Amino acid sequence: MKAPQQHQPIAVLPNDWLEYLGQHRIFELTLNESQKVAHTFDRANQFDSFAQQYDTRILVLRANDLIVAVGSQLRLLDLNAVKDAWITIAPQFIDAGQTNTDWLLDIPYKTLSTPKIDFTIESLSVNSSGTLLAVSGQQRLAIVCLPTSSFSHTTTYSAEGHVECKVFIVGQSIFGEDARVVKSLWHPLSETRTHLMVLSTDSVLRMFDVSGNTDEPEQLFDLTPTFGNTAFSKRRPSRGISVDDDLGSEEEAVTFTVGGKSEKQSAWEPFTVYFALRNGDTYALCPVLPHHSVVHNQHLESLACVIDAKTTRLVEQKLKDDDLDSKAVYYLLRLQSQWIDDLLESAKPLDGDMMAITSNQHCIPFDIQRQGPFKLEGKKDAISMSSSSSAEVSDILFVKTEPANIIVLAFTNGIIKTHLLGTEVDPQWLMPTDTNDTKDWKYQLGQYLFSSNVLPKATVQEVIDLKVKSMTPVMLVQDPLYNDTFYAYHRAGLHRLALTKLVDNLIALEKVFASGKSQHEFTKALQTWSAKDNRAQVQCLIDSSIANTNDPFLGMVIITDIYLTYSILGLTQSYKLASVELGLRTLESTSSYDTTSSSSPTTTATPSFSSSAASDGSSTTTTKTVLADTPYTVPSSTELAQPKIVVPPEYAGKKEIVITENSLLFMTQASEKLYNNIKELAKSKVKTEKRLAVQQLELGRQVEDIKRLCDRIEQQNIHEEQREKLLAAAQNHGKLALRIDSVLRKVMGSYLPELSNDEKKWVESLQEIQKTVDGDRGYMKRIEMLQSQVSTLRSRSAQLSGQKKPQLTSAQLASVRKQLDEQAILVQETREKINLLESNMTTAATS
């Protein structure tokens, strides 16, 4: 927003608070903190082979709470409070004609008290329920139990004003120098929302259920394709696709992603983990899901129907004894069917269309087979464009769209590769190798699964160059509203990539295929689709490389709240916040690509102008552009580089040229190529000159139209009073816009109360329990009194021990012992009640 003129009314809009958010105290750093952050996120470490692959996300959003990591500290800001304050103060700015940032001082941020986090935080991730925060450094991983949203009155604060949070260290004996944390991700199918997947530098993917055991993983998967890790040697076969025995650095797994949530139309992708090696090879694991998962109630049934249909079709073909591949496919389908049946037997219905399943009780005793590398198809130049010796994979993203699934790979040289998945990744298991019986079904299936024919296939759709100047980690983020859009942030800035054209054209092609037209018509439609412009729409939203500044992005979040905004917040290494307001797509043009709400329309039309021909306005003429309706395109001959002529060795250097038939033929062909190129350039020159002449005519026409418009404006003789009316109208517009958001806030609070009646009763019960424990006459006070009495008795006992033993009767001794035993029993019962109450409170806070 431009700086307003002094003493002039200004118009502000509800979302202008984003321009001031970066000046909040939550982003303030001390000199020591700034230096520590710069040292931590310097990814030019040549002694760490994973320096470019560590997941960097120090900014995360939990509902309306913005969480920022500063060193080992976690800060939390309520964005609703920021916008509420802006809506309140903005009308005063309009009346005063100027703005300031003093109103931000009244909006505090909270610091989460996490003493167990004594390491530098490099990545944050919130689970789907918003109750747990995964905090990872390079050698440590912790889980923070977040307070309730917007800090309810039951939140406990320390004396320093920090929010007390429970912290659990995950894999304390696992992660360290030998197994550093590369990336962590919450599994979307977890029934308890507590399953965390962690990839470490030893190329092992571990799945922890942090609600149970935080020391040992629930499941683990070895991602090395060459079976070189001795920790898993007992589970590896002696044969495989790869012939190397040692694991090279280019074969280390550096990133992974999951296939998304379970939906009605889903296939196997929700049960699939996609991961990439350093050299760009892509692999898949299926089926992978937590032991206690939640899926759509029709998902498994549809998969079972598909498997039955495939099995029936295969049986109808009357398998022959020598058709080993078909038999192996039949065995694989039977395993998949058995796996689905086991899940369906354990299914329990949940609210809505979901059901809970248990996957650790299946009867298939085999490990999951790694599938890959993906066989890539497409243009050779596109496949090899990112195969630079210095380029490495930095991140992977799975994009699920209606017509096709897409895998996106990001490389450290700024290259983005999009792959269309050609074959579906289905469940495969690793068959045992302790048998030499060629007629054994396990041996036949194992041979089939290790053949190159079953490798998953993908087509390289496009290679996008973000044109970064140096090697940098490129991180990918999916847009939460539109599946065909994702973002890439790196050292040079932040880019938005929309696959809208590709998805729309694929939907049209799919409709042609579903219509049942002939093979010839579908082939023609496929050729038409290939000729269309299916390129991704790439736009740089934030540029941090201006003036060669070294301020890389360390994270970004996308706000999609109806009251707040639909915007992007990006945080740089110097903790400067950059915001970009995005535009929602309209129903009329779902494939539009608006970047900001104030951007130009997506559709263009031939401009026409109406102006007065006479100064008195008595006659009116309409002029039209002289440009063609179709946009001008640069001739292709000017875009192609001129081919370099390679001179044969016998003619190169200072050798004397001998006129022979071969030498004359070479000179003729070389001259012909140069002549043809010059001829094409001459044609392009003529076209360009014609276009330039037309544009000069159009420029003159537009200048005349603008002159006539200026004359009309001057004839209107706008007085100062009219100017004030215009400014007042803009002022009223700003106030009305702010009032609309204020009413929206009240409506949301009315129809979406913070706590329901049952929740309020539960909070009251928690307060009663807390009062019972910590009150004036609570258990804690009673324990203190009992401890004081016990210490008094012990001191008296010590004093009496040095004196002459009193002559007590047996009845008196029995009475004293009885009283002491009763006191001890009372203390023990009180402690057990306190432990039980604390356990109930912890369970209630977590749920």
Side-chain angles (χ1 to χ4, degrees):
M1 187 174 66
K2 295 183 179 179
Q5 296 181 358
Q6 192 174 5
H7 304 301
Q8 288 291 336
I10 61 173
V12 297
L13 295 174
N15 290 334
D16 286 348
W17 62 278
L18 292 171
E19 300 293 334
Y20 299 91
L21 182 60
Q23 303 178 42
H24 194 273
R25 291 174 296 167
I26 193 174
F27 303 107
E28 291 181 356
L29 297 181
T30 63
L31 180 60
N32 186 25
E33 290 173 340
S34 180
Q35 294 175 351
K36 190 174 182 179
V37 169
H39 175 73
T40 301
F41 294 100
D42 181 13
R43 301 306 192 190
N45 188 357
Q46 299 179 357
F47 300 99
D48 189 352
S49 60
F50 285 87
Q52 302 289 344
Q53 280 78 28
Y54 291 120
D55 193 25
T56 306
R57 305 172 196 266
I58 63 171
L59 189 71
V60 74
L61 194 66
R62 193 275 303 262
N64 57 297
D65 295 327
L66 184 67
I67 304 176
V68 183
V70 180
S72 59
Q73 186 183 85
L74 292 172
R75 302 175 180 178
L76 193 149
L77 176 64
D78 184 6
L79 295 182
N80 275 348
V82 179
K83 186 164 185 180
D84 291 344
W86 169 253
I87 295 296
T88 304
I89 198 67
Q92 301 178 19
F93 291 157
I94 296 177
D95 296 334
Q98 55 186 358
T99 62
N100 57 61
T101 58
D102 296 341
W103 59 280
L104 284 172
L105 300 176
D106 298 330
I107 307 173
Y109 70 88
K110 303 298 181 182
T111 301
L112 304 185
S113 179
T114 54
K116 290 186 179 180
I117 300 180
D118 54 357
F119 54 89
T120 302
I121 300 172
E122 297 193 18
S123 179
L124 302 174
S125 178
V126 179
N127 69 338
S128 57
S129 61
T131 57
L132 300 177
L133 176 68
V135 180
S136 62
Q138 290 188 11
Q139 301 182 18
R140 300 286 297 279
L141 178 64
I143 301 297
V144 179
C145 298
L146 294 175
T148 56
S149 181
S150 300
F151 303 102
S152 68
H153 52 279
T154 62
T155 304
T156 303
Y157 298 92
S158 66
E160 295 80 9
H162 296 180
V163 183
E164 297 289 346
C165 297
K166 289 194 174 182
V167 179
F168 304 95
I169 302 299
V170 179
Q172 192 167 4
S173 60
I174 298 175
F175 302 116
E177 183 63 32
D178 296 332
R180 299 184 298 277
V181 178
V182 178
K183 185 177 182 179
S184 61
L185 188 66
W186 295 97
H187 201 289
L189 300 185
S190 174
E191 180 184 3
T192 57
R193 308 294 189 268
T194 57
H195 285 83
L196 183 67
M197 305 185 71
V198 186
L199 175 64
S200 51
T201 55
D202 56 358
S203 294
V204 176
L205 181 65
R206 297 173 174 87
M207 183 187 297
F208 293 88
D209 184 5
V210 297
S211 65
N213 191 349
T214 58
D215 296 328
E216 296 295 332
E218 178 182 278
Q219 303 176 58
L220 53 85
F221 310 94
D222 182 21
L223 306 185
T224 54
T226 55
F227 318 127
N229 195 336
T230 57
F232 301 89
S233 59
K234 63 180 181 180
R235 294 170 31 180
R236 293 200 175 110
S238 60
R239 62 182 186 275
I241 298 175
S242 179
V243 297
D244 297 331
D245 293 331
D246 298 328
L247 179 64
S249 61
E250 70 280 356
E251 294 180 332
E252 294 172 332
V254 294
T255 184
F256 76 99
T257 188
V258 293
K261 297 181 179 180
S262 173
E263 299 174 351
K264 181 179 179 180
Q265 303 297 333
S266 298
W268 292 105
E269 62 272 3
F271 306 143
T272 306
V273 172
Y274 302 92
F275 63 96
L277 307 185
R278 188 185 303 276
N279 58 9
D281 290 341
T282 306
Y283 287 76
L285 285 175
C286 182
V288 176
L289 70 163
H291 286 168
H292 298 281
S293 305
V294 56
V295 298
H296 196 278
N297 55 12
Q298 296 185 13
H299 183 191
L300 295 179
E301 294 180 0
S302 62
L303 287 178
C305 293
V306 171
I307 293 174
D308 290 342
K310 290 182 178 179
T311 305
T312 303
R313 185 185 306 173
L314 199 61
V315 172
E316 290 176 352
Q317 295 177 358
K318 297 181 180 180
L319 303 180
K320 299 180 180 179
D321 294 337
D322 57 347
D323 192 357
L324 298 180
D325 288 349
S326 298
K327 286 187 175 182
V329 173
Y330 174 78
Y331 300 143
L332 180 61
L333 291 175
R334 296 304 301 163
L335 285 177
Q336 295 175 2
S337 178
Q338 183 62 52
W339 186 79
I340 292 290
D341 293 340
D342 292 341
L343 294 184
L344 289 175
E345 289 180 0
S346 66
K348 297 180 181 179
L350 299 176
D351 296 337
D353 298 330
M354 310 304 288
M355 63 180 181
I357 57 175
T358 304
S359 61
N360 61 337
Q361 299 176 357
H362 58 78
C363 61
I364 299 179
F366 309 121
D367 295 329
I368 299 175
Q369 165 78 20
R370 288 178 300 274
Q371 303 181 45
F374 279 64
K375 296 176 65 176
L376 300 182
E377 300 175 352
K379 298 180 179 179
K380 293 184 179 180
D381 54 346
I383 297 176
S384 61
M385 183 175 178
S386 60
S387 60
S388 174
S389 58
S390 58
E392 301 175 353
V393 172
S394 60
D395 203 2
I396 186 173
L397 181 68
F398 177 81
V399 179
K400 179 177 176 58
T401 62
E402 181 180 351
N405 295 326
I406 302 172
I407 290 291
V408 182
L409 286 181
F411 291 80
T412 55
N413 58 353
I415 294 294
I416 304 290
K417 290 178 65 176
T418 58
H419 306 77
L420 286 176
L421 296 186
T423 57
E424 181 180 321
V425 177
D426 57 352
Q428 294 183 14
W429 289 270
L430 196 62
M431 294 294 103
T433 58
D434 54 356
T435 177
N436 294 323
D437 185 5
T438 58
K439 295 183 179 180
D440 186 5
W441 71 271
K442 293 187 289 295
Y443 178 85
Q444 295 177 2
L445 180 56
Q447 291 288 342
Y448 174 75
L449 294 181
F450 274 102
S451 64
S452 60
N453 297 328
V454 299
L455 290 178
K457 299 179 179 61
T459 302
V460 179
Q461 173 61 28
E462 185 180 2
V463 178
I464 304 167
D465 189 1
L466 301 182
K467 301 185 184 302
V468 297
K469 298 180 181 179
S470 60
M471 290 295 172
T472 174
V474 181
M475 300 298 168
L476 304 175
V477 178
Q478 176 71 49
D479 190 289
L481 294 185
Y482 305 109
N483 293 337
D484 58 7
T485 303
F486 62 94
Y487 303 87
Y489 64 91
H490 43 83
R491 182 174 296 275
L494 187 149
H495 286 75
R496 179 180 182 179
L497 299 94
L499 307 176
T500 311
K501 294 181 179 179
L502 173 63
V503 172
D504 290 346
N505 293 335
L506 283 175
I507 292 176
L509 183 63
E510 190 177 31
K511 290 181 179 179
V512 174
F513 178 76
S515 62
K517 294 185 177 181
S518 62
Q519 182 69 25
H520 175 72
E521 292 179 345
F522 177 73
T523 304
K524 185 177 180 180
L526 184 61
Q527 294 175 351
T528 304
W529 172 82
S530 301
K532 290 182 179 179
D533 183 11
N534 296 316
R535 294 176 299 176
Q537 296 167 304
V538 184
Q539 186 169 10
C540 180
L541 300 183
I542 305 174
D543 189 355
S544 63
S545 62
I546 300 177
N548 294 324
T549 57
N550 187 14
D551 200 11
F553 274 82
L554 301 184
M556 60 162 284
V557 295
I558 304 174
I559 307 174
T560 57
D561 188 79
I562 187 174
Y563 171 65
L564 293 175
T565 180
Y566 174 41
S567 301
I568 290 179
L569 300 180
L571 189 65
T572 64
Q573 183 174 286
S574 61
Y575 277 67
K576 293 180 181 178
L577 189 71
S579 62
V580 178
E581 188 174 354
L582 304 174
L584 295 171
R585 300 178 185 177
T586 59
L587 297 177
E588 290 78 6
S589 57
T590 57
S591 62
S592 62
Y593 180 60
D594 294 338
T595 302
T596 61
S597 58
S598 60
S599 60
S600 59
T602 57
T603 58
T604 59
T606 303
S608 61
F609 303 90
S610 298
S611 59
S612 177
S615 61
D616 58 354
S618 58
S619 61
T620 303
T621 61
T622 301
T623 59
K624 186 178 181 181
T625 176
V626 297
L627 299 178
D629 294 338
T630 57
Y632 174 74
T633 57
V634 179
S636 58
S637 59
T638 60
E639 297 179 349
L640 300 176
Q642 298 301 319
K644 182 179 180 181
I645 300 176
V646 181
V647 180
E650 58 269 20
Y651 307 139
K654 298 181 180 180
K655 299 179 181 178
E656 182 179 358
I657 299 177
V658 180
I659 303 300
T660 61
E661 182 178 357
N662 292 333
S663 63
L664 290 176
L665 180 61
F666 168 75
M667 296 179 63
T668 302
Q669 293 177 348
S671 302
E672 185 178 359
K673 288 183 179 179
L674 290 175
Y675 175 76
N676 292 334
N677 292 332
I678 294 173
K679 187 176 179 181
E680 291 295 329
L681 289 175
K683 292 180 180 179
S684 301
K685 174 178 176 294
V686 174
K687 293 181 180 179
T688 304
E689 289 177 345
K690 290 182 179 180
R691 175 68 183 187
L692 182 60
V694 174
Q695 289 190 176
Q696 287 178 345
L697 292 176
E698 174 66 15
L699 177 63
R701 187 193 65 79
Q702 292 184 4
V703 169
E704 290 295 329
D705 288 343
I706 292 175
K707 183 177 181 302
R708 284 194 291 268
L709 290 173
C710 291
D711 293 340
R712 291 184 61 187
I713 292 175
E714 291 179 357
Q715 290 173 7
Q716 296 297 327
N717 192 15
I718 298 179
H719 299 288
E720 189 66 27
E721 181 180 356
Q722 293 173 324
R723 295 181 185 274
E724 292 180 357
K725 288 182 179 181
L726 291 175
L727 293 175
Q731 184 180 16
N732 292 333
H733 169 72
K735 290 184 177 181
L736 286 174
L738 294 169
R739 185 178 177 184
I740 290 173
D741 261 37
S742 178
V743 173
L744 176 62
R745 176 65 167 161
K746 294 179 180 179
V747 170
M748 292 178 61
S750 174
Y751 287 92
L752 296 175
E754 295 182 358
L755 294 176
S756 63
N757 294 330
D758 294 336
E759 290 172 338
K760 290 179 180 178
K761 292 180 180 179
W762 181 246
V763 170
E764 292 175 359
S765 64
L766 290 178
Q767 291 176 345
E768 291 294 332
I769 294 174
Q770 188 172 1
K771 184 177 179 181
T772 304
V773 175
D774 299 331
D776 296 336
R777 300 183 60 84
Y779 291 131
M780 297 300 296
K781 291 294 184 182
R782 295 172 65 179
I783 286 179
E784 292 177 0
M785 292 175 61
L786 292 173
Q787 288 177 345
S788 177
Q789 293 178 5
V790 170
S791 61
T792 302
L793 291 173
R794 286 179 177 175
S795 62
R796 291 181 60 185
S797 176
Q799 293 175 1
L800 293 174
S801 62
Q803 301 176 1
K804 184 179 179 179
K805 294 183 179 180
Q807 298 296 328
L808 297 178
T809 64
S810 59
Q812 289 176 335
L813 289 174
S815 177
V816 171
R817 287 177 180 148
K818 183 179 179 180
Q819 291 182 2
L820 291 176
D821 292 340
E822 290 177 353
Q823 294 289 345
I825 292 173
L826 181 59
V827 170
Q828 182 64 26
E829 291 178 352
T830 305
R831 289 186 180 276
E832 290 178 356
K833 290 181 180 180
I834 290 176
N835 293 333
L836 180 60
L837 289 174
E838 287 182 349
S839 176
N840 293 336
M841 293 178 67
T842 302
T843 305
T846 304
S847 61

